[in-house]
Amino acid sequence: MIEAQSDHRLRLLYIGETSVPARTALRAVSGLDHVETVAELTDPELLPQHLAAWQPDLVLVDVGISESSAERYRSAKLKHLLAAFPTLALTSAEREQRGLRAVLHGAQHYLVVDAGLPESALRTAIDQCRKHHDFTSTINGRSELLAMLVEGLPDGALLCDRDGRIIRSNAVARGLLGLSREHQPALAWGRTFCAWDPASGDELIPSDRPIASAARGDRFTEQRFRHRDEQGAELVLSVSGHGLYNGGDELLGGIHLFRDVTDDFHRESGQTEHALIAPAPGIAN
């Protein structure tokens, strides 16, 4: 008989082969103090029965630790069964693309196990999976229309949870910001989205940036920010945002709509070039 789930310790289900790298990964997961137990399943045909009986807090899926597991546990075959559960995919560096595909097929995150799994990385991944799944379940279950509208908007759109982690982006946002459809950006990325004043170029304090503002429920309209990508390219974006709530008064996160106004900003500033140029350093007399 399955024991009742405790308030703070997690019951996990591992689906995959029992290779040496997999065993090492499972030992690391089992050693976390907030994990109660990890059940193991090697036969994917038995997955429906195990999910119904076990009702895990999180599912770990071996999608590419070995070549045989990459073939046997294809994420596309499992995605409908796993949709109701937070899912963390495990893979190898050689088959990292399998992890990316797993995210595309519904997993919330993936980890490469070759170099070991530090406790901090495991905790972060498990927390991210569960929050991401809870958020998207609420959005998809209570407001399918919102999800459809976000993808169809002519402006860029980002949905974030209360921690500022990006949960969903539409095609316009991904095109403007260079994001991947297969892999949502890390939490740190949200902290650098539109993090600079458009006129002075000064870095804004974290609480004044749009992701933080909307994630705490603030509403703002057509505010301009400067955004820099990892290669140093810059855009001036006009951003509107507000908190996102469930059917009651519970704050889930925030929604941000934005458009590229870089050319307008240059014209209004009297600049003729289309790239932002940093001021030249002072020359001593």
Side-chain angles (χ1 to χ4, degrees):
M1 180 179 295
I2 298 174
E3 298 177 0
Q5 179 180 344
S6 65
D7 291 335
H8 63 281
R9 303 194 72 201
L10 306 179
R11 296 155 60 87
L12 277 53
L13 175 62
Y14 168 73
I15 307 167
E17 297 186 346
T18 56
S19 62
V20 172
R23 304 296 324 162
T24 302
L26 289 179
R27 281 196 297 272
V29 172
S30 300
L32 297 175
D33 56 15
H34 67 308
V35 171
E36 178 182 323
T37 187
V38 181
E40 298 180 28
L41 177 64
T42 58
D43 186 353
E45 299 299 325
L46 299 177
L47 181 58
Q49 301 95 297
H50 277 70
L51 289 175
W54 190 250
Q55 290 293 308
D57 298 298
L58 180 80
V59 178
L60 303 167
V61 184
D62 171 6
V63 298
I65 296 178
S66 66
E67 186 57 41
S68 58
S69 63
E71 292 300 321
R72 192 176 187 192
Y73 306 104
R74 285 181 178 272
S75 53
K77 295 180 180 179
L78 304 177
K79 66 178 181 179
H80 297 300
L81 291 171
L82 298 177
F85 301 92
T87 302
L88 175 60
L90 303 177
T91 189
S92 63
E94 181 183 356
R95 285 171 287 275
E96 185 170 0
Q97 187 63 29
R98 299 284 190 179
L100 292 170
R101 289 181 188 173
V103 172
L104 182 62
H105 290 144
Q108 281 71 49
H109 195 57
Y110 78 89
L111 288 175
V112 173
V113 305
D114 299 57
L117 295 175
E119 180 177 335
S120 59
L122 275 174
R123 287 183 178 276
T124 298
I126 290 173
D127 182 61
Q128 178 178 338
C129 284
R130 300 186 73 219
K131 287 183 176 180
H132 188 161
H133 185 268
D134 289 347
F135 183 95
T136 53
S137 296
T138 302
I139 295 300
N140 292 336
R142 301 189 181 187
S143 185
E144 292 183 4
L145 178 59
L146 175 61
M148 294 171 58
L149 288 174
V150 165
E151 190 57 42
L153 285 170
D155 292 338
L158 297 175
L159 298 182
C160 70
D161 64 17
R162 285 181 296 182
D163 294 328
R165 181 179 291 106
I166 305 303
I167 299 299
R168 175 171 292 163
S169 58
N170 70 355
V172 177
R174 293 190 294 271
L176 281 173
L177 304 175
L179 301 177
S180 166
R181 181 181 179 87
E182 290 80 11
H183 193 53
Q184 296 291 5
L187 177 60
W189 184 92
R191 296 170 179 156
T192 62
F193 172 69
C194 289
W196 292 270
D197 180 271
S200 68
D202 293 340
E203 187 171 359
L204 301 171
I205 62 174
S207 60
D208 286 346
R209 300 171 191 177
I211 293 289
S213 296
R216 64 174 176 259
D218 295 348
R219 179 180 292 272
F220 54 93
T221 304
E222 296 290 340
Q223 291 189 14
R224 290 185 175 183
F225 300 88
R226 187 183 299 196
H227 176 75
R228 295 174 181 164
D229 66 19
E230 294 179 353
Q231 287 70 45
E234 298 186 342
L235 295 172
V236 176
L237 301 177
S238 177
V239 186
S240 300
H242 59 83
L244 187 63
Y245 296 83
N246 64 7
D249 296 326
E250 182 185 3
L251 179 65
L252 299 174
I255 182 169
H256 312 76
L257 305 178
F258 56 92
R259 53 193 174 87
D260 183 0
V261 295
T262 307
D263 289 345
D264 292 343
F265 175 80
H266 290 319
R267 282 194 294 269
E268 294 166 7
S269 302
Q271 298 178 354
T272 58
E273 295 183 357
H274 289 260
L276 296 172
I277 302 176
I283 301 176
N285 292 327

